[in-house]
Structures are given as structure tokens and as C-alpha cells.
Amino acid sequence: LAKTTQPISMDSYEGQEVNITCSHNNIATNDYITWYQQFPSQGPRFIIQGYKTKVTNEVASLFIPADRKSSTLSLPRVSLSDTAVYYCLVVRNTNAGKSTFGDGTTLTVKP
Amino acid sequence: EAGVAQSPRYKIIEKRQSVAFWCNPISGHATLYWYQQILGQGPKLLIQFQNNGVVDDSQLPKDRFSAERLKGVDSTLKIQPAKLEDSAVYLCASSLLASGSSYNEQFFGPGTRLTVL
């Protein structure tokens, strides 16, 4: 599975848009990009998944360029409650969906 | 819909003792995962079951860790004997049947925080 690289931490302010970029240079044709969010003392929670171009749901948008070697999670107008760790995963679409969590990006939203 | 249940939530033991964790996945979820999350790190997959068969246990320290999923529903993870470095949060997750045709998101339980003294 492709190894992912994310910034260790990011700071933002309430109301701003936050973009977290993940690189996955060795992504394979049958790999999907998936993002999870984890609050302290809780298990991770699925946010969004995509294969190429752009995916949007009620929580976030995911931008994936044509070469798929990176992806960007976009959180619109963050609030204090968006302070969490965000994980980028590459998920193999075969072999029972294997994936590996990295160490994630700690996002701190300030008032 | 009830989420993934885990117990106990907290456990403190001394090194060389044994400990067991229990997980009840979401009803109908065929795939069950156990993760170890050390403070400041991402979750590390220990074992993945599909129904009651093991799909991946490549990172399970088999000399001290064991897991079973009887009848393809509940699962237990055991550590015997525990070491200081086993101090971590143990997360259980479940998903619909993992297949080559689609990705099914994992739903995580609250975890069990283990402290080994």
C-alpha cells in the first residue's frame, strides 16, 4: 500500500477554510483515498472518500489531481469543534480493503 | 443504530499479567478490526476478521497477543503476558463485508485504555 505523508500539525481560526494536503506518490490504480477524523478519547470517524477529481459531502470536500499522487481535504468555515486529528489513508480496493493509518495532522482551531 | 461496543473502557494491570478486551460490532457487519493506538500515533492494525476468519494478522505479536471471533459476531483480544510497551488504547472497528468492489467505512468503538505498570 502507498505510504502517505501529511503535515504533523496545523493552526487555523474560526470561520476560515482549512486545507490539509496528503501526498501518496506510490498510489496504485485500484487505490482509493479516504480521510478520517479523530477527537480526543474517541475512535476515528469516516469523513470522505474519493478516487479522482472532486468529491463533496456535508462535512468536507476532497480534491484529487489527475496524477492522484496527492489529495487535499478542505474544511469550510471551521469552528472550535473541528479541532481534531485528521488521517489520510490509501485503501486498496481489493484484498479485503486493506489500509494503513499514518500519524495524521493535528488541526487546532483558535477563537 | 447502536454503535460498536467495547469493554472495559479502562484497565490498569502490572507487567506480566494477562488482560482481555471485548468488542461487539454493529449488527450485520461482517468485518471486524482490532487496532492498537499508542499516544501520539495513528491506529495500528493488529488483526482483521472477515466473519470468523482472519484476513490479516501480520502485525499481531503472536507470542503474546491472541484474538478470536466466535460465530462471526463478538470478538475478544487477549494479551498474555503484558509488557510495559503494551500501554495504549485498543480500538475495535467494524464494517460491512470488505470486498474488491467497494470500500465500506469503518465504524470505531470508544476504545479500551490499557495502562501496564
Side-chain angles (χ1 to χ4, degrees):
Chain A
L1 286 174
K3 178 179 167 57
T4 60
T5 302
Q6 306 173 233
I8 294 173
S9 63
M10 295 180 67
D11 289 344
S12 183
Y13 291 92
E14 283 191 291
Q16 289 188 332
E17 178 185 72
V18 170
N19 296 308
I20 306 175
T21 298
C22 177
S23 67
H24 26 78
N25 290 320
N26 296 321
I27 193 167
T29 302
N30 53 1
D31 289 343
Y32 282 71
I33 298 132
T34 308
W35 287 79
Y36 280 79
Q37 174 193 55
Q38 186 176 27
F39 297 113
S41 301
Q42 295 185 24
R45 183 183 71 162
F46 173 84
I47 300 175
I48 198 167
Q49 183 200 17
Y51 185 80
K52 62 180 178 181
T53 63
K54 177 183 174 182
V55 179
T56 297
N57 62 21
E58 64 277 6
V59 175
S61 294
L62 179 60
F63 298 92
I64 305 168
D67 66 6
R68 304 198 330 119
K69 293 184 184 298
S70 66
S71 59
T72 299
L73 175 73
S74 180
L75 305 171
R77 298 181 299 282
V78 294
S79 64
L80 297 177
S81 62
D82 292 315
T83 293
V85 180
Y86 292 82
Y87 295 97
C88 166
L89 283 71
V90 169
V91 180
R92 180 61 46 85
N93 197 29
T94 57
N95 202 13
K98 287 192 174 183
S99 60
T100 302
F101 282 84
D103 289 337
T105 297
T106 299
L107 172 65
T108 302
V109 180
K110 303 174 182 178
Chain B
E1 176 182 271
V4 175
Q6 290 188 248
S7 68
R9 291 296 311 277
Y10 305 92
K11 189 75 177 177
I12 300 174
I13 62 173
E14 297 194 347
K15 60 183 179 183
R16 292 187 289 274
Q17 286 187 322
S18 62
V19 64
F21 312 124
W22 174 82
C23 173
N24 180 236
I26 292 173
S27 177
H29 281 192
T31 308
L32 185 147
Y33 312 78
W34 282 103
Y35 289 88
Q36 179 193 60
Q37 187 170 26
I38 293 172
L39 187 65
Q41 299 180 16
K44 171 186 156 185
L45 179 67
L46 293 176
I47 189 167
Q48 177 180 343
F49 292 96
Q50 190 127 302
N51 296 308
N52 58 352
V54 176
V55 172
D56 183 1
D57 64 356
S58 57
Q59 298 194 90
L60 186 73
K62 298 180 185 64
D63 58 333
R64 299 186 299 107
F65 286 64
S66 64
E68 60 181 9
R69 190 182 185 197
L70 299 176
K71 301 181 181 179
V73 182
D74 292 7
S75 177
T76 56
L77 176 70
K78 297 179 181 178
I79 308 175
Q80 182 178 12
K83 293 185 176 181
L84 296 177
E85 58 261 36
D86 298 332
S87 293
V89 175
Y90 290 85
L91 295 163
C92 178
S94 70
S95 70
L96 292 170
L97 184 67
S99 70
S101 61
S102 63
Y103 173 74
N104 294 305
E105 65 180 274
Q106 297 179 37
F107 293 84
F108 284 80
T112 297
R113 183 177 297 277
L114 174 67
T115 301
V116 182
L117 303 175

